[in-house]
Amino acid sequence: MTNTADVIIIGGGIHGASLAFHLAQRGVKPLVLESKFVAAGATGRSSGLVRMHYDLRLECELAWKSFEYFRNWDEIVGGECGFVRTGFIRIVQPQYEDALQANVAMQQEIGIPTLLVTADDVKRLMPYFETGDFRVAAYEPESGYADPPAAAASLMSAARRLGATLKTGAAVAEVLTDDSKVRGVRTASGEVYHAPVVVNAAGAWADRIAQTVGLTLPFTTWSHDVMFIRRPKPLGPSHPTVIDDPLEMYFRPEQGGLTLVGLESGNPLGEDPDTDTEHPHPGFVARAVEHICHRIPAMEEGSLHSAHRGYDGLSDDQRAIIGPAGPEGFWLNCGHSGTGFKIAPATGLSLAEWMLDGAPQTVDIRPFSLNRFAEGRPLRAEHPYADIWR
Ligand SMILES: Cc1cc2nc3c(=O)[nH]c(=O)nc-3n(C[C@H](O)[C@H](O)[C@H](O)COP(=O)(O)OP(=O)(O)OC[C@H]3O[C@@H](n4cnc5c(N)ncnc54)[C@H](O)[C@@H]3O)c2cc1C
């Protein structure tokens, strides 16, 4: 292997893999340097929800364009992404009913299959749901969940078939610059790789990479616990994927009669992402059980299967940081703030266009640029909900 590449991508998560695939499709030969293995970070722990409902139009557009990939993965990428259609429901508290209605209308304008339903409709769909604490919800019949490590692995394999190179066990220690221009990277074991362009897709570790070129990101680490419970048989073989704002929770079915549950509150910030991810934080499982049993009382008869945690980078406005920043040739694709899996296909495509053509064509992702923070233009939705992570 030569030590020179067109572009070096730091990080072999879903975003590094998607960018590598889209650059390679355009004839560029990227080198992906991954400190551990593909999907070792947030991607390997991701709950994999694939839905289009956001309050920010730009994220809806990215999720919608990405949905084309999830539905036609074998055709577009090759291999598996494990997409399972379950239908998706977003429940909101009464104070966000107007915002929900406006956001569903905005999403319909984009072309997203979504509609406003009542609590009675939800009850008809899932008679075992407790529906007394909300009046309306958004329903996406086509949405569901996918398998993030499989999606990352197949994107990376496709990229390699097109000429990309992957080096695992290669932790980048430093981005090398000359006269304010990027010229490559040095790994922790002292190897030097040359490239005029370096992309920081290092997930929860991205601020460490950015610091080596003198950039401070408005960014912290976000830790998130997830639990799997075995559903009691009477609940049936599946259920929709749900974001349940009143209970600060989301849940979805998992193969083998399991239900995955995550909580939107109580996700510690600022922890070292190298901390053990095999175990959830103390108290998480009890809280998650309490919340899921509130929505689905029959879950009382379920049993705990397993639980773990993961880390992502969380930006100050809880939206991704994407675009050129710092020395010439240095690009960011990080800060995906706990929701970056489902938008990775279209983000990689749009970023490749930006890098190669001077502007993104598919989705204009330039508002995600780092300078929005210094310029006082954080990304805010027209009809916002509360921050996702509290
Ligand atoms: C528990 C959990 C559940 C989630 N659920 C969802 C969900 O349901 N839906 C959704 O859309 N999103 C979800 N997310 C968010 C989503 O998974 C992330 O936003 C996305 O995976 C981020 O991908 P990434 O490629 O940017 O980062 P990562 O997947 O973290 O990849 C970064 C990679 O960089 C590598 N790396 C780090 N430092 C270096 C270095 N110095 N040199 C070389 N390599 C390095 C790491 O090993 C890692 O593999 C969830 C996240 C977590 C943690």
Side-chain angles (χ1 to χ4, degrees):
M1 183 194 137
T2 139
N3 279 14
T4 301
D6 295 336
V7 174
I8 290 173
I9 300 171
I10 306 171
I14 192 73
H15 281 281
S18 176
L19 180 62
F21 170 66
H22 289 100
L23 285 174
Q25 265 194 328
R26 297 279 306 268
V28 174
K29 305 258 180 284
L31 164 64
V32 182
L33 296 175
E34 161 56 51
S35 58
K36 293 179 183 157
F37 49 87
V38 171
T43 303
R45 288 303 197 200
S46 181
S47 305
L49 268 65
V50 173
R51 43 92 189 181
M52 275 71 75
H53 194 100
Y54 279 91
D55 56 7
L56 188 73
R57 187 183 180 102
L58 193 46
E59 290 175 314
C60 296
E61 286 172 352
L62 282 172
W64 177 227
K65 181 68 197 169
S66 297
F67 193 55
E68 212 175 294
Y69 286 67
F70 288 112
R71 280 198 293 196
N72 306 291
W73 198 266
D74 189 31
E75 210 176 289
I76 301 175
V77 179
E80 287 291 323
C81 74
F83 178 68
V84 179
R85 178 184 165 192
T86 62
F88 166 78
I89 293 173
R90 171 135 191 172
I91 300 170
V92 294
Q93 300 96 308
Q95 71 263 36
Y96 294 115
E97 284 176 5
D98 289 348
L100 184 84
Q101 202 162 341
N103 289 329
V104 166
M106 173 267 285
Q107 290 151 17
Q108 287 171 340
E109 216 177 270
I110 294 172
I112 294 168
T114 180
L115 63 154
L116 206 66
V117 295
T118 64
D120 285 348
D121 296 328
V122 173
K123 189 83 179 171
R124 269 190 287 276
L125 214 55
M126 273 88 50
Y128 45 85
F129 268 35
E130 185 55 55
T131 55
D133 58 342
F134 67 94
R135 288 191 297 234
V136 293
Y139 180 48
E140 294 176 8
E142 304 288 325
S143 300
Y145 68 93
D147 177 342
S154 54
L155 279 165
M156 199 67 92
S157 299
R160 293 173 76 186
R161 282 196 299 277
L162 293 166
T165 305
L166 166 69
K167 197 162 179 354
T168 54
V172 171
E174 188 189 358
V175 176
L176 304 171
T177 55
D178 233 356
D179 293 333
S180 304
K181 283 187 187 159
V182 158
R183 65 178 179 88
V185 302
R186 187 194 315 277
T187 67
S189 57
E191 288 164 295
V192 172
Y193 296 92
H194 302 280
V197 177
V198 171
V199 183
N200 179 359
W205 298 262
D207 58 335
R208 299 182 186 175
I209 298 291
Q211 274 162 20
T212 71
V213 296
L215 275 179
T216 305
L217 301 182
F219 173 104
T220 186
T221 61
W222 166 86
S223 168
H224 186 58
D225 301 312
V226 166
M227 156 185 97
F228 294 85
I229 42 179
R230 189 166 299 288
R231 276 193 306 281
K233 280 234 158 54
L235 288 181
S238 190
H239 56 73
T241 295
V242 179
I243 294 185
D244 186 335
D245 283 342
L247 291 171
E248 301 185 324
M249 165 178 71
Y250 66 85
F251 54 96
R252 68 156 173 87
E254 171 61 51
Q255 315 286 342
L258 303 179
T259 290
L260 176 159
V261 184
L263 297 179
E264 291 178 349
S265 56
N267 296 279
L269 303 183
E271 289 184 354
D272 179 351
D274 290 320
T275 312
D276 155 48
T277 59
E278 294 303 316
H279 303 95
H281 292 82
F284 163 74
V285 167
R287 279 197 308 127
V289 166
E290 191 188 313
H291 288 224
I292 191 72
C293 290
H294 197 104
R295 182 62 64 214
I296 309 179
M299 283 285 193
E300 292 278 2
E301 301 302 319
S303 56
L304 178 67
H305 175 272
S306 56
H308 60 228
R309 81 172 79 158
Y311 289 91
D312 202 358
L314 185 87
S315 81
D316 279 3
D317 62 7
Q318 303 201 355
R319 323 273 184 191
I321 309 174
I322 307 171
E328 195 181 321
F330 189 66
W331 291 71
L332 298 168
N333 182 7
C334 58
H336 284 284
S337 300
T339 72
F341 169 66
K342 70 186 80 55
I343 62 163
T347 302
L349 173 60
S350 306
L351 181 54
E353 292 164 350
W354 190 357
M355 294 170 71
L356 301 179
D357 306 329
Q361 316 293 325
T362 302
V363 178
D364 189 353
I365 53 174
R366 287 173 294 189
F368 286 113
S369 297
L370 176 66
N371 58 14
R372 73 180 188 268
F373 296 101
E375 292 168 6
R377 293 180 289 101
L379 285 167
R380 294 274 176 246
E382 210 178 320
H383 299 283
Y385 304 125
D387 278 346
I388 313 171
W389 309 114
R390 307 182 274 264

